[in-house]
Amino acid sequence: MLVAVVAVVILTVVTGVLAFREQIRSRTLESAVQEAELLSSVVIDRSLTLTDITHGMHPVNRSDLKADVILLKRRGEVVDLSIWSMATRKLVYADEGQDGIVAPSPDVFERAQAGKPFIGEATGDPSHGENLVVYHPYDANGDGVVDAVAEVVLPSTSVEESLSRSTWLLYGGGLLALVLAIAGILQVRRNQLRQDRAAVQDPLTGLGNRMLMRRVAPQILADATDAAPAALLLIDLDRFKAVNDTLGHHAGDELLAAVADVIQRESGPSSVAARLGGDEFAVLLPRVADRAAARAVPDRIRDAIRRPMTIAGSQVQVDASIGMAWAPADGTAAEDLLRSADMAMYRAKHSGAGVAEYTEVAVTKPPEPAATTVRELSRALADHQLELYYQPVRAADSTICSAEVLARWRHPEFELLEASMFIPEVAHTSLMSTLTEWVLREAADRQAQWLARGLDVRVSVNLAARSLYGESVADLVRRLIEDRRLPPASLELEVSEAIMMIEPDRAIPAMLRLRDAGAGLCLDNFGAAYGAVSILADAPVQTVKIDQRFGGQVVESRLARTLVSGWVRAAHERGLCVIAQGVETPATGRCLIDLGCDGVQGYGVCRPMPAQDFTQWLTSVTSASQDVGRKEQAYEAGHPPETSMTDA
């Protein structure tokens, strides 16, 4: 009898341990897949772009990815990493030291098309023993098409330890071994749950991340109806960069955590809140029964964010722009709804309202991707569908000192399109040079006409990086200035701060060539990305344009006033003229002039106008200014002008 019981116990233990051993292997392999997925969201997403996959990795992105992988290797979380293009099946990135690396088998690329990570064959490199290989498909631009597959080699220590423990339990025998085996499985499960939480949670704020939103949004949007819709809020902090730059990154992190607490508290327990990246947050409200109550949520969030906060021992005050979109009315897919909320958010930011719904967005429908191809835009240029609008800059003495040139596309299907809706599609193509040449010729011709009518106004043209570095731009500018007999520096070229900071060794010589050709130079969007005063000493410019995010906030933000005032002083010390953008109201314009700005630009001064309308407007404004000047001179000379019955 005893022998039978022992036999049964042994058989039970052996059967149980063998079964648990397979479960441990399965769970551990699932954990390996999740580790690879977490690596993609934390490391690869941050450093790899579609351009890197198709045209080779940018040195900065390669350096960032290499640094992250080295850190993971030192921590023992990764053995090797290589990334392969799905289109060409060529190597995009590999760790140093991977000599003789061989491309994955065709079967790997075929399985990767499904878009789900999977386990591959174990490697046998004697330098690191037997390891796990996980293949993780990577969609670079979120269009649902797999662009690359990452081959992630993970240490298999956890698998071997689990299997070794199972074998020891098998020979140790007894019920205790069975209990310990179960405990081992539970531990693996706990690790799996912990990794799953880490994959969908933002470590800084404790909110969900973009991956969490991707997971929960499809079901919530599928359940949404016209009677019980879902709502998506997209929240972007205003003046966050100023806090980050002034008080340091630790203060910026503390501010983001405080804002996350506000969003979580004010959005309610049924909502899904996530930090999408940087200072951008999203809140998904499922099945809203009361639209009025849902519309109150973004107002509560913004009101709470705008209250002064104590960060790093200092009191700071920030603002937020919030866009709101409804499902299914504004989109049934997560990407569509996010795009609608994004447009509403920009409407809220640029209008100064703070909160806006997608239904309130009074903008032209953006073209479909097929409408903004190089071929379509080239045809539009040949068919004279493009035209130039002009937006004036008002000087501190209320005169009009310059006008910025803004391209518009009178599209046959989408009506009038702003430059932001088509220029990015061709900014890195050869058509950009052709488009820039057309804009420069049109602007120079218009300026010559104004000068002939006694209208002395500088004309400013924005230059993309490709145009700036082109060899022919300086020669074209020189010919235009000479042929049209334009005054020196009256044709002004604007170069964004980002171009100067990213490639100063290329940008500065190119700008010097333009200056030698007779063009004026302007540093555009100062403060949008960096706001470093040191750039003012290096940039060979005569004018600085402060980004609209700061220019438009000086009335209500003490921090914005402090930054603008400091930038103005630094620019004036270097003999530079300072223009502030983003002026929406007369009060904002007066505040910026009081802070020392030499000029202001924005809808509060004048909206962009076609060339003919702008010419009439400029003639009227200049005539009125000259009349005032003549009257002032007459009074100073002691001969006040006679007052007619009409004047009276």
Side-chain angles (χ1 to χ4, degrees), residues 165-176:
R165 183 168 58 249
S166 299
T167 303
W168 181 83
L169 291 173
L170 176 63
Y171 292 102
L175 295 177
L176 180 61

Side-chain angles (χ1 to χ4, degrees), residues 23-42:
Q23 290 189 32
I24 289 174
R25 174 183 289 275
S26 176
R27 296 292 187 183
T28 305
L29 293 179
E30 290 179 11
S31 298
V33 172
Q34 290 189 346
E35 288 178 12
E37 189 173 4
L38 180 62
L39 172 66
S40 175
S41 65
V42 174

Side-chain angles (χ1 to χ4, degrees), residues 14-164:
V14 170
T15 303
V17 169
L18 290 176
F20 290 147
R21 177 173 174 165
E22 285 304 312
Q23 290 189 32
I24 289 174
R25 174 183 289 275
S26 176
R27 296 292 187 183
T28 305
L29 293 179
E30 290 179 11
S31 298
V33 172
Q34 290 189 346
E35 288 178 12
E37 189 173 4
L38 180 62
L39 172 66
S40 175
S41 65
V42 174
V43 176
I44 300 178
D45 281 357
R46 187 172 68 87
S47 302
L48 189 67
T49 66
L50 181 59
T51 304
D52 294 333
I53 296 172
T54 58
H55 294 81
M57 288 199 70
H58 191 280
V60 175
N61 293 347
R62 179 178 294 277
S63 177
D64 291 343
L65 182 57
K66 177 182 176 182
D68 290 336
V69 172
I70 290 175
L71 179 60
L72 292 173
K73 281 187 171 184
R74 289 176 179 173
R75 290 160 54 179
E77 298 180 17
V78 171
V79 176
D80 284 314
L81 171 67
S82 59
I83 302 173
W84 301 82
S85 168
M86 289 291 292
T88 63
R89 300 192 178 184
K90 292 183 178 180
L91 184 65
V92 176
Y93 170 85
D95 297 341
E96 294 183 0
Q98 294 193 61
D99 297 328
I101 185 169
V102 179
S105 66
D107 180 61
V108 169
F109 289 98
E110 292 178 2
R111 291 184 64 184
Q113 293 287 354
K116 296 182 179 180
F118 56 94
I119 299 294
E121 296 292 333
T123 64
D125 189 338
S127 65
H128 46 66
E130 296 292 323
N131 297 296
L132 290 177
V133 178
V134 179
Y135 292 99
H136 188 275
Y138 179 70
D139 179 4
N141 57 358
D143 60 357
V145 177
V146 177
D147 302 299
V149 59
E151 184 181 76
V152 186
V153 183
L154 302 174
S156 60
T157 307
S158 57
V159 177
E160 297 302 325
E161 289 178 352
S162 299
L163 294 177
S164 176

Side-chain angles (χ1 to χ4, degrees), residues 533-556:
V533 175
S534 59
I535 195 176
L536 300 179
D538 299 330
V541 300
Q542 296 82 45
T543 305
V544 177
K545 281 192 175 182
I546 296 176
D547 188 70
Q548 61 183 3
R549 288 190 296 177
F550 296 96
Q553 300 290 334
V554 292
V555 172
E556 58 185 31

Side-chain angles (χ1 to χ4, degrees), residues 450-509:
W450 290 341
L451 288 171
R453 300 178 60 170
L455 304 175
D456 187 8
V457 175
R458 291 197 317 275
V459 173
S460 300
V461 176
N462 289 279
L463 279 189
R466 184 183 181 92
S467 300
L468 173 65
Y469 300 141
E471 297 293 336
S472 61
V473 176
D475 292 335
L476 174 62
V477 169
R478 182 180 291 105
R479 290 198 306 271
L480 290 174
I481 292 175
E482 293 175 352
D483 294 346
R484 276 69 171 178
R485 297 181 180 179
L486 302 179
S490 62
L491 180 59
E492 188 173 64
L493 304 178
E494 298 187 6
V495 179
S496 72
E497 175 198 47
I499 294 177
M500 269 290 302
M501 293 299 294
I502 293 173
E503 294 184 302
D505 293 340
R506 292 185 66 192
I508 292 177

Side-chain angles (χ1 to χ4, degrees), residues 4 17 101 150 240 251 255 318 344 390 423 453 465 555 594 630:
V17 169
I101 185 169
F240 167 75
L255 176 59
V318 295
Y390 296 84
I423 291 296
R453 300 178 60 170
V555 172
D594 291 341
R630 284 194 294 268

Side-chain angles (χ1 to χ4, degrees), residues 13 24 35 116 148 225 250 340 357 367 371 385 413 542 634 640 646:
V13 170
I24 289 174
E35 288 178 12
K116 296 182 179 180
T225 64
H250 66 286
S340 298
E357 292 189 31
Q385 294 176 7
E413 182 179 355
Q542 296 82 45
T646 303

